[in-house]
């Protein structure tokens, strides 16, 4: 069972690495696992299954419990514990484990593509907001500095 748990963790980690900018010094943590698990649920199924999501959390919980974690990451494990508190997945765990690993392996490419597409949409929206913010700032002030980190804050300060 531990081998399969690591296989699920490795599959979710590979999905994350292939779909977003994952730096060499980035660590795969419970928060990332949680978010990737939500993406997997959204991408693979036309419905939301509490048992399947908790199955993922169960695997993540026992994997990350054995890792050295920061305090913030430990708080995510507490969230996992609360989610799993009333879940009795032992009866379905062995049945779903191999099926889910096969499904995740076969659908990995589709999941990665969907995450990349969503990221691209988000980047385009951010880009359009920044362009609008620059235009509005140019119209109302002569002091235009192109710093995307503070641009929106400055824009909202202008509108106050």
């Amino acid at each position: 069972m531990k081998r399969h748990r690591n296989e699920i963790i490795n599959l979710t980690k590979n999905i994350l690495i292939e779909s977003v900018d994952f730096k060499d010094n980035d660590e795969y943590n419970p928060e990332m696992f949680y978010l990737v698990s939500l993406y997997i649920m959204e991408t693979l199924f036309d419905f939301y299954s509490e048992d399947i999501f908790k199955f993922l959390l169960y695997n993540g919980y026992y994997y990350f419990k054995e890792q050295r974690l920061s305090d913030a990451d430990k708080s995510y494990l507490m969230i996992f514990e609360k989610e799993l508190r009333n879940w009795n997945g032992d009866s379905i765990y062995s049945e779903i484990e191999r099926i889910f690993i096969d499904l995740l392996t076969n659908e990995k490419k589709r999941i990665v593509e969907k995450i990349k597409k969503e990221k691209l949409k988000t980047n385009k929206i951010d880009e359009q907001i920044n362009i609008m913010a620059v235009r509005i700032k140019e119209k109302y002030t002569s002091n235009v500095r192109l710093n995307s980190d503070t641009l929106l804050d400055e824009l909202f300060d202008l509108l106050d």
Side-chain angles (χ1 to χ4, degrees), residues 125-141 143-160:
I125 290 169
D126 289 345
E127 188 179 303
Q128 290 301 316
I129 289 171
N130 284 336
I131 289 169
M132 287 178 2
V134 167
R135 287 182 183 153
I136 292 170
K137 190 169 182 191
E138 285 173 343
K139 184 174 181 176
Y140 291 103
T141 181
N143 182 17
V144 177
R145 287 175 295 148
L146 298 175
N147 179 354
S148 63
D149 294 336
T150 61
L151 191 58
L152 278 178
D153 293 336
E154 292 174 20
L155 175 65
F156 288 126
D157 289 345
L158 275 176
L159 297 175
D160 281 343

Side-chain angles (χ1 to χ4, degrees), residues 6 16 32 37 41 81 85 87 91 98 106 127-128 132 135 137 141 151-152 157 159:
N6 288 340
L16 179 73
M32 290 177 187
S37 297
M41 289 298 300
E81 281 178 2
R85 186 168 291 141
W87 184 65
S91 59
R98 188 73 246 161
N106 292 330
E127 188 179 303
Q128 290 301 316
M132 287 178 2
R135 287 182 183 153
K137 190 169 182 191
T141 181
L151 191 58
L152 278 178
D157 289 345
L159 297 175

Side-chain angles (χ1 to χ4, degrees), residues 53-98:
F53 185 64
K54 289 190 178 188
F55 165 79
L56 279 168
L57 290 183
Y58 180 85
N59 283 283
Y61 174 76
Y62 283 101
Y63 172 80
F64 286 110
K65 190 174 167 181
E66 298 172 357
Q67 308 299 313
R68 289 192 59 189
L69 300 174
S70 67
D71 288 339
D73 290 339
K74 287 178 184 175
S75 68
Y76 255 89
L77 280 187
M78 290 172 48
I79 293 170
F80 288 15
E81 281 178 2
K82 288 179 184 174
E83 291 271 349
L84 295 169
R85 186 168 291 141
N86 295 322
W87 184 65
N88 186 9
D90 294 336
S91 59
I92 66 163
Y93 190 89
S94 58
E95 295 173 27
I96 198 173
E97 184 178 49
R98 188 73 246 161

